[in-house]
Amino acid sequence: MKSWKTLARRTILQHSKFLVVEEHTVELPDGRIIEDWPWVITPDYINVTAVTTEGLFLCFRQTKYSVEGMSLAVVGGYLEPGEDPLEAAKRELREETGYEAEAWLALGRYPVDGNRGAGVAYPFLATGARRVAEINADDLEEQELLLLSRAELETALDAGEFKSLPWAAAVALALRRLK
């Protein structure tokens, strides 16, 4: 199979560092040309499923603008320009929870939308986490840090309490690696 080829691109919305929309001209493998393919540029981000030295999982109960009601969530955040995903994961874990972890496992690199862009997700599993500092998060949402057992985490995942796909996927990938 052949890949699509980008022939041209132009910015149609430069909203902020968090959102740019482009229009691409692409050539399909069969030679057809699409003149107005929308492409969304958002920052790449990390999610961290963290396990403490006691075997408890760090999660948040929080609200998000696009999520109805309360949701459980894992640590997450955007990469700074030029920042390595693992370094971003370590930074976000410490800022959002006050924890640092002994061991880190990258769980993959996933384009958010295979046809429209929207950044790349980097989920991580952090184990041996211990509290080393106070929380220093700049999040806009209210959130409560929780420590869940594996059984509680699995029950919450199965019940759909992680209401955003990246959080649910990060937890599922981490649990799979911890079996």
Side-chain angles (χ1 to χ4, degrees):
M1 288 189 194
K2 295 181 182 177
S3 297
W4 294 22
K5 182 178 177 185
T6 304
L7 302 177
R9 58 194 315 159
R10 73 179 182 94
T11 301
I12 58 176
L13 173 66
Q14 176 75 49
H15 183 270
S16 67
K17 69 179 184 176
F18 299 110
L19 177 64
V20 175
V21 180
E22 294 181 342
E23 186 174 81
H24 290 192
T25 301
V26 296
E27 181 181 356
L28 302 180
D30 65 6
R32 287 182 292 159
I33 305 292
I34 300 174
E35 300 285 340
D36 59 353
W37 191 262
W39 188 256
V40 178
I41 300 170
T42 59
D44 296 346
Y45 66 90
I46 58 86
N47 283 121
V48 180
T49 303
V51 187
T52 68
T53 55
E54 297 81 22
L56 299 173
F57 290 80
L58 296 171
C59 294
F60 295 107
R61 179 178 294 120
Q62 66 180 24
T63 60
K64 283 287 189 186
Y65 183 55
S66 71
V67 174
E68 187 174 321
M70 298 296 286
S71 179
L72 292 183
V74 293
V75 169
Y78 290 130
L79 276 68
E80 298 295 333
E83 189 176 28
D84 175 76
L86 177 57
E87 293 309 311
K90 290 178 178 181
R91 174 180 53 77
E92 289 289 348
L93 179 64
R94 186 179 173 111
E95 287 175 3
E96 292 187 4
T97 68
Y99 281 73
E100 289 181 351
E102 293 175 8
W104 289 84
L105 179 63
L107 299 174
R109 176 190 185 281
Y110 300 93
V112 175
D113 183 333
N115 279 325
R116 306 280 184 236
V120 174
Y122 296 90
F124 288 89
L125 171 60
T127 55
R130 66 193 185 298
R131 184 106 186 234
V132 297
E134 293 300 314
I135 294 172
N136 185 23
D138 62 355
D139 294 308
L140 301 175
E141 302 84 14
E142 288 187 53
Q143 56 188 22
E144 173 189 8
L145 183 61
L146 305 174
L147 295 166
L148 302 179
S149 69
R150 182 177 180 137
E152 291 170 323
L153 187 77
E154 289 175 348
T155 298
L157 180 63
D158 291 345
E161 292 182 43
F162 291 90
K163 295 182 180 179
S164 180
L165 181 59
W167 304 329
V171 169
L173 287 166
L175 287 171
R176 186 165 161 67
R177 295 306 287 266
L178 287 170
K179 285 195 173 188

